[in-house]
Amino acid sequence: METFSNFCIYHYKEIFSTNTEALDLIDKGIFDETVIIADKQTNGRGRTGKRWLSPEGNLYISFIINPVGKFSEFVFITAIAVGHTLLSLVDNLGVQYKWPNDILIDGKKISGVLIERKSYSNWLVIGVGINIVHAPLQESTCISNYCNPLSNMDLLTMLIINFNKLRKQWILNGFYDIRKAWLERAFKLNELISIKLADQLLSGIFTGIDTDGKLILKQENEDLVYFDTGELF
Ligand code: BTN
């Protein structure tokens, strides 16, 4: 175990899923902010029960933090931390944030965030996958398409620095600045979109996110619908 910027870092060669390991660690009792990183996952998990393909070479990490304030805002803080990290590798990258948890470059997914917690605990698990040298799915991309690849540990240290900076800013100024930064690079903002829920599909103009991070959809009849879950198309 090493430490960096107050995080204890546990580095595994191969693991089931860093998020699953992080949730187990919470059950065992945890006292310090921790990051779990794995070179490879055998059962990487994405949102809505999807798999996250995790061959060696990409970044797979889970932050375990004990935040004060709203848990729901961390998906935006984390997405921007990933965005800033990518932009510090290459200027002028076409980074966009796709509601609720994706980071895109030139419209292709490069990173996803999966936030989980135990109902009886304040510890929050923030899983982040970033494609470094593999883009496992069609319509996905990876860092090596834009610049020389770097190691997962080097990428993690950059991510921790950006994540901590944004957390500090969030503690001082609240969600306002985070929301603004996220909206400046929001995918399909002010465009016609569809939101898919388990049993329905709703279309309208994506007009923004509210102060709780809910997506605001303006329907044809001008009604506003607010979403805290769903998939954007
Ligand atoms: C998504 O886009 O659906 C979220 C993907 C999150 C993947 C990361 S990889 C590290 C952490 N461990 C997991 O099993 N999932 C997250």
Side-chain angles (χ1 to χ4, degrees):
M1 198 255 294
E2 335 169 16
T3 54
F4 179 75
S5 275
N6 293 333
F7 274 103
C8 303
I9 302 179
Y10 290 89
H11 191 165
Y12 292 85
K13 283 229 140 312
E14 180 177 310
I15 210 171
F16 205 59
S17 147
T18 57
N19 264 36
T20 307
E21 182 67 18
L23 291 165
D24 284 353
L25 210 56
I26 290 172
D27 275 342
K28 289 181 188 143
I30 184 168
F31 302 103
D32 297 309
E33 295 206 323
T34 296
V35 185
I36 295 174
I37 177 165
D39 296 339
K40 187 176 171 185
Q41 297 183 121
T42 51
N43 196 12
R45 296 185 287 107
R47 270 182 80 234
T48 59
K50 289 189 193 136
R51 288 191 67 195
W52 184 261
L53 294 172
S54 309
E56 191 162 347
N58 289 346
L59 177 94
Y60 314 107
I61 65 115
S62 298
F63 289 118
I64 310 174
I65 61 165
N66 201 339
V68 276
K70 275 196 207 151
F71 292 139
S72 58
E73 294 171 2
F74 268 90
V75 72
F76 301 98
I77 295 172
T78 311
I80 298 168
V82 172
H84 286 183
T85 301
L86 295 172
L87 285 161
S88 66
L89 291 173
V90 186
D91 262 358
N92 299 323
L93 272 182
V95 171
Q96 283 189 302
Y97 306 124
K98 181 177 172 198
W99 186 89
N101 70 324
D102 291 351
I103 297 91
L104 314 179
I105 295 183
D106 298 338
K108 293 183 176 174
K109 182 158 171 170
I110 191 159
S111 171
V113 178
L114 176 67
I115 301 201
E116 298 181 297
R117 65 184 271 259
K118 302 269 187 179
S119 54
Y120 46 82
S121 161
N122 272 337
W123 290 96
L124 190 65
V125 172
I126 304 177
V128 184
I130 304 180
N131 297 339
I132 303 177
V133 289
H134 305 285
L137 295 179
Q138 252 193 349
E139 292 309 304
S140 62
T141 191
C142 56
I143 288 175
S144 60
N145 286 338
Y146 300 91
C147 63
N148 288 332
L150 68 176
S151 73
N152 56 355
M153 278 306 284
D154 286 347
L155 190 60
L156 173 61
T157 50
M158 292 168 71
L159 185 63
I160 289 177
I161 290 167
N162 284 310
F163 183 70
N164 279 343
K165 255 191 221 160
L166 288 157
R167 274 207 295 178
K168 248 184 220 152
Q169 187 186 327
W170 174 74
I171 288 166
L172 290 175
N173 304 333
F175 188 47
Y176 181 85
D177 289 349
I178 299 291
R179 178 172 167 266
K180 187 164 167 275
W182 190 91
L183 282 170
E184 276 165 11
R185 288 182 176 272
F187 176 69
K188 291 202 172 170
L189 183 66
N190 298 320
E191 292 180 30
L192 181 64
I193 58 156
S194 297
I195 296 288
K196 187 168 168 261
L197 300 173
D199 53 356
Q200 62 180 151
L201 189 72
L202 286 169
S203 298
I205 304 292
F206 171 23
T207 60
I209 54 170
D210 73 3
T211 50
D212 288 326
K214 290 192 180 130
L215 181 143
I216 310 169
L217 188 81
K218 192 180 192 182
Q219 293 188 297
E220 228 177 12
N221 61 5
E222 304 279 302
D223 277 357
L224 298 181
V225 191
Y226 295 78
F227 295 89
D228 54 12
T229 184
E231 196 143 344
L232 186 159
F233 291 98

